[in-house]
Amino acid sequence: MLLDPDAESSVAYELCQVVGRAILPYRAADAYGTAFFFQSGDDPVGEALLTAADLVGAVGGELGLRASVTEPAGVAPDAVAQGEIVPGWSSFPGDGVAVLPTAGLHRYAGDGGWRWRVQPVPAGIAAGPEAVADLGADASSAFVLAHGVREDGSRPLEVAIERVVRDGDDVRITTELPPGYVGAPVFVVRADATGDVSLYCLGLVLPGVGGHPVATFDRIGAVLSAARGDA
């Protein structure tokens, strides 16, 4: 669904309010990216951190922390090294996705005297096959929440308003995104049969040149089950 510029700006603002604290900067040894919290159901066991598989293989990765995602103020570190989190990332290169169940993150925070204060992307807005199938060769509005990389090295939370298309089973963002955006969640809007418009998390950004494939949630769902060891 392609929105007019005013509607796109409204959606971008709303996303920052609703899931802004789901988004965290991630730094690999030689690359910058983004990770985000996702909650599949009411059970805390269903909470996971998601990013692109290409980011998590190298030694030296770390997850950046913003003041707004931890409490009490001034206690949490600025970053968490991936080696500090047990269990660590499960990588699924065939799907392009990496999953970190958050039990280790919560344990790490508790040992340090602080706690997470996040807004996970809820399972209820994860795009199913129908939402993915609604995409076509005509461009639809897409919204990417990510931590970009400024010249001074800072990692502000940003929203990129982009275009997404589908070609067969492949879903792509049509332009190349700035550094820091790989692994970030991609959102779209969809109208139902009655004309009501709903927001969906389409999936996450994968590396690309001239554009970016999107790992859609109809693929991510299977990855999450495998990471939890579901039958």
Side-chain angles (χ1 to χ4, degrees), residues 36-129:
F36 66 100
F37 284 85
F38 176 74
Q39 178 68 55
S40 53
D42 297 329
D43 187 347
V45 174
E47 186 184 70
L49 199 66
L50 303 178
T51 194
D54 284 36
L55 293 175
V56 303
V59 176
E62 65 177 24
L63 186 68
L65 303 183
R66 305 184 347 248
S68 61
V69 302
T70 68
E71 57 185 8
V75 178
D78 292 332
V80 179
Q82 69 177 16
E84 298 284 343
I85 307 303
V86 179
W89 290 99
S90 296
S91 184
F92 300 86
D95 296 291
V97 178
V99 179
L100 179 67
T102 57
L105 288 174
H106 290 291
R107 189 180 307 114
Y108 178 89
D111 290 345
W114 56 278
R115 56 190 174 272
W116 294 93
R117 181 175 172 264
V118 296
Q119 302 164 294
V121 174
I125 68 168

Side-chain angles (χ1 to χ4, degrees), residues 89-174:
W89 290 99
S90 296
S91 184
F92 300 86
D95 296 291
V97 178
V99 179
L100 179 67
T102 57
L105 288 174
H106 290 291
R107 189 180 307 114
Y108 178 89
D111 290 345
W114 56 278
R115 56 190 174 272
W116 294 93
R117 181 175 172 264
V118 296
Q119 302 164 294
V121 174
I125 68 168
E130 299 85 0
V132 176
D134 270 358
L135 300 172
D138 293 333
S140 294
S141 298
F143 307 84
V144 185
L145 266 67
H147 283 274
V149 184
R150 297 282 173 86
E151 290 185 2
D152 62 1
S154 61
R155 303 289 311 275
L157 180 64
E158 302 172 348
V159 184
I161 301 175
E162 301 293 340
R163 299 291 179 260
V164 66
V165 297
R166 182 170 62 87
D167 180 9
D169 293 332
D170 297 326
V171 176
R172 292 184 59 84
I173 293 172
T174 58

Side-chain angles (χ1 to χ4, degrees), residues 16-46:
C16 287
Q17 306 310 304
V18 175
V19 294
R21 286 190 282 111
I23 318 298
L24 294 176
Y26 189 81
R27 183 184 64 82
D30 57 355
Y32 292 93
T34 295
F36 66 100
F37 284 85
F38 176 74
Q39 178 68 55
S40 53
D42 297 329
D43 187 347
V45 174

